[in-house]
């Protein structure tokens, strides 16, 4: 990831601070870890200069040395890593029907997490109050309090104004339009908060800790109630002119298809989002098809997750519904592959946990519909972090804020 994406404030820093921050980025994001001599090589600095920088970072408790590097014939190299005990970060994934949150140590290791159902269509104030309760309980469960948390990252399923810290005209959370999410959260918790689009954070999370490590051209597709894409192009998160880039859920995939939350017809989200998947399952049950979905609570309560679960257990009706959703996802993703030529597509979100039952139809359609050289260059894979992609991306952003503050001197 290029530094100007994550740290626009860099231009104001002095050279020593820039070297410190670049060192921290290499320590954080080099797959397999980085040693002092590797750092000197990558920064084009002398060993002595690197010794000074690392000395500062160790003294301020940000970094420590480990001897866990891979053996290369002789002595194991000593690697640098973030000091896990320097403080804690929180990542919150605000979904349409569920939220997930986790707290990690400074090195990104998860120490506690929680996931629960919550409908985003309630007022943002009541929603935040519920999340507040859950956050304090989660921290308490790890013998932590808000004072131990350095910063908090939040991902929401809609377009974001990152300057204002608000959601802008989000189709699946209409009551949140222009609500000052970041400000309210900062007041509630007394900690710095970053606010981003959930799919964008999914891309960041998978790039930093998951399937996309080292990739420069990556698209993360979040398949939940909404469908969105986070785009990492040439090593940078791409947001577009008004933060709406990657709204792949509102690409038309079926002429005269069903009405979408955005007001158009036949959008990908209306054909393959969680709501569409659940609706098809209810129709199948009501039509009397042989499926274990018929035995789930009441018909109205069948969710996309139920369908995914049944598909994994071998239910043919559920598998057919997931394959159809995969086909429509494939149509939109094939266009994305033709336009952006990514090297990796990561499919995430609750529904994607069933893996190849959804991925194989996507791969098939992308092979059929995109240009051969683009199709051959792209690997389509499930999110390695599973349900955690977005919340881990939120932790990456929270740590960016914490590092900005801890190195600002
Ligand atoms: Zn739409």
């Amino acid at each position: 990831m290029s530094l100007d994406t994550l740290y626009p404030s860099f231009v104001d820093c002095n050279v020593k601070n820039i070297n410190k921050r670049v060192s921290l980025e290499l320590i954080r994001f080099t797959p397999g870890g980085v040693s002092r001599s590797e750092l000197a090589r990558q920064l084009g600095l002398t060993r002595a200069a690197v010794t000074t920088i690392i000395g500062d970072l160790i003294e301020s408790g940000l970094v420590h040395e480990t001897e866990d590097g891979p053996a290369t014939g002789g002595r194991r190299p000593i690697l640098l890593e973030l000091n896990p005990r320097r403080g804690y970060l929180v990542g919150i994934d605000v979904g349409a029907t569920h939220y997930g949150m986790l707290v990690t140590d400074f090195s990104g290791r998860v120490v506690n997490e929680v996931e629960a159902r919550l409908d985003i269509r309630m007022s943002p104030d009541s929603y935040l109050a519920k999340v507040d309760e859950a956050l304090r309980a989660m921290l308490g469960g790890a013998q932590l309090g808000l004072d131990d948390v350095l910063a908090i990252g939040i991902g929401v399923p809609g377009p974001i104004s990152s300057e204002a810290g608000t959601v802008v005209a989000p189709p699946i959370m209409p009551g949140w339009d222009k609500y000052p999410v970041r400000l309210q959260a900062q007041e509630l918790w007394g900690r710095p908060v970053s606010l981003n689009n959930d799919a964008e954070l999914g891309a960041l999370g998978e790039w930093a800790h998951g399937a996309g490590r080292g990739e420069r051209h990556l698209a993360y597709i979040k398949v939940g109630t909404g469908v969105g894409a986070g785009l990492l192009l040439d090593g940078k998160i791409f947001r577009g002119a008004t933060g709406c880039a990657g709204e792949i859920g509102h690409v038309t995939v079926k002429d005269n298809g069903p009405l979408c939350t955005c007001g158009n017809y036949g959008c990908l989200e209306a054909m393959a989002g969680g709501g569409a998947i659940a609706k098809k399952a209810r129709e199948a049950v009501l039509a009397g098809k042989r499926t274990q979905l018929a035995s789930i609570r009441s018909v109205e309560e069948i969710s996309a997750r139920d369908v995914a679960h049944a598909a994994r257990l071998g239910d043919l009706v559920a598998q057919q519904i997931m394959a159809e959703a995969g086909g429509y996802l494939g149509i939109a993703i094939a266009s994305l592959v033709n336009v952006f030529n990514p090297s990796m597509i990561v499919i995430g979100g609750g529904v994607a946990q069933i893996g190849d039952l959804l991925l194989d139809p996507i791969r098939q359609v992308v092979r059929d519909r995109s240009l051969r050289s683009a199709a051959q260059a792209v690997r389509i894979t499930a999110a390695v972090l599973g349900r955690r992609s977005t919340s881990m991306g939120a932790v990456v952003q929270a740590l960016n804020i914490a590092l900005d503050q801890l190195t600002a001197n």
Side-chain angles (χ1 to χ4, degrees):
M1 176 145 315
S2 87
L3 296 164
D4 55 330
T5 306
L6 293 174
Y7 311 110
S9 57
F10 251 39
V11 284
D12 302 326
C13 299
N14 61 38
V15 173
K16 192 177 156 207
N17 251 343
I18 291 175
N19 282 334
K20 233 194 241 183
R21 286 305 303 270
V22 177
S23 302
L24 281 166
E25 298 325 297
L26 289 169
I27 291 167
R28 285 171 78 187
F29 298 129
T30 303
V34 67
S35 64
R36 284 175 185 243
S37 52
E38 178 60 15
L39 208 54
R41 196 185 64 77
Q42 294 224 29
L43 291 170
L45 295 174
T46 62
R47 281 292 297 262
V50 166
T51 299
T52 308
I53 293 168
I54 297 306
D56 279 359
L57 292 175
I58 288 175
E59 197 181 321
S60 52
L62 295 173
V63 165
H64 72 176
E65 287 180 314
T66 164
E67 295 187 33
D68 290 334
T72 49
R75 200 161 59 88
R76 284 168 180 270
I78 296 174
L79 298 177
L80 297 160
E81 62 176 26
L82 293 184
N83 173 10
R85 289 179 296 279
R86 186 62 181 81
Y88 294 86
L89 292 320
V90 166
I92 302 175
D93 176 9
V94 170
T97 58
H98 292 71
Y99 66 83
M101 66 172 82
L102 45 81
V103 52
T104 75
D105 66 21
F106 204 66
S107 69
R109 193 180 59 90
V110 176
V111 291
N112 203 5
E113 65 186 314
V114 62
E115 189 189 314
R117 285 181 81 102
L118 193 59
D119 192 329
I120 204 167
R121 288 169 299 182
M122 70 173 63
S123 82
D125 281 327
S126 338
Y127 191 98
L128 270 187
K130 298 258 186 212
V131 167
D132 175 50
E133 215 172 284
L135 171 60
R136 289 170 199 268
M138 176 187 71
L139 292 173
Q143 269 82 52
L144 297 171
L146 275 166
D147 287 348
D148 300 301
V149 175
L150 296 167
I152 296 169
I154 303 179
V156 292
I160 291 294
S161 159
S162 44
E163 295 80 32
T166 59
V167 197
V168 185
I172 60 174
M173 45 198 298
W176 291 60
D177 188 23
K178 301 210 172 55
Y179 178 80
V181 184
R182 189 171 58 208
L183 199 71
Q184 290 294 330
Q186 277 177 180
E187 273 180 18
L188 197 53
W189 298 319
R191 317 309 297 159
V193 170
S194 82
L195 181 74
N196 291 84
N197 170 263
D198 62 347
E200 180 180 305
L201 289 182
L204 191 57
E206 288 293 326
W207 174 82
H209 299 287
R213 298 198 75 177
E215 296 287 339
R216 291 188 59 78
H217 307 282
L218 170 123
Y220 171 88
I221 316 286
K222 183 165 187 175
V223 188
T225 305
V227 180
L231 303 172
L232 186 78
L233 302 177
D234 212 8
K236 296 178 189 176
I237 290 286
F238 181 78
R239 298 197 173 93
T242 58
C244 285
E247 289 293 335
I248 195 173
H250 303 288
V251 166
T252 306
V253 292
K254 188 173 170 49
D255 277 342
N256 306 313
L259 178 64
C260 179
T261 51
C262 73
N264 289 325
Y265 293 86
C267 293
L268 175 61
E269 191 167 299
M271 298 305 297
I277 290 170
K279 182 163 170 269
K280 277 186 193 159
R282 288 193 290 268
E283 285 166 1
V285 170
L286 291 173
K289 293 207 174 148
R290 276 174 61 90
T291 164
Q292 64 188 68
L293 292 165
S295 59
I296 293 173
R297 302 183 297 274
S298 65
V299 180
E300 300 77 51
E301 283 180 50
I302 295 174
S303 70
R305 288 188 188 205
D306 294 329
V307 184
H309 183 67
R312 192 158 38 192
L313 295 179
D315 187 280
L316 293 177
V317 170
Q319 286 184 356
Q320 178 61 29
I321 293 170
M322 295 309 296
E324 272 174 35
Y328 285 112
L329 284 162
I331 292 174
I333 291 171
S335 298
L336 185 137
V337 165
N338 278 340
V339 175
F340 291 114
N341 189 202
S343 51
M344 179 177 274
I345 304 261
V346 182
I347 312 285
V351 170
Q353 304 309 307
I354 60 165
D356 288 344
L357 286 170
L358 182 70
L359 263 56
D360 279 344
I362 295 176
R363 291 184 184 118
Q364 182 63 48
V365 175
V366 170
R367 261 198 306 273
D368 293 347
R369 286 184 176 242
S370 49
L371 292 178
R372 198 188 308 157
S373 72
Q376 282 171 348
V378 69
R379 199 146 64 85
I380 299 176
T381 181
V384 163
L385 302 177
R387 296 189 197 290
R388 288 176 170 174
S389 312
T390 293
S391 42
M392 284 304 291
V395 163
V396 172
Q397 286 290 39
L399 184 52
N400 289 340
I401 297 182
L403 288 174
D404 269 344
Q405 295 192 332
L406 294 169
T407 58
N409 52 39

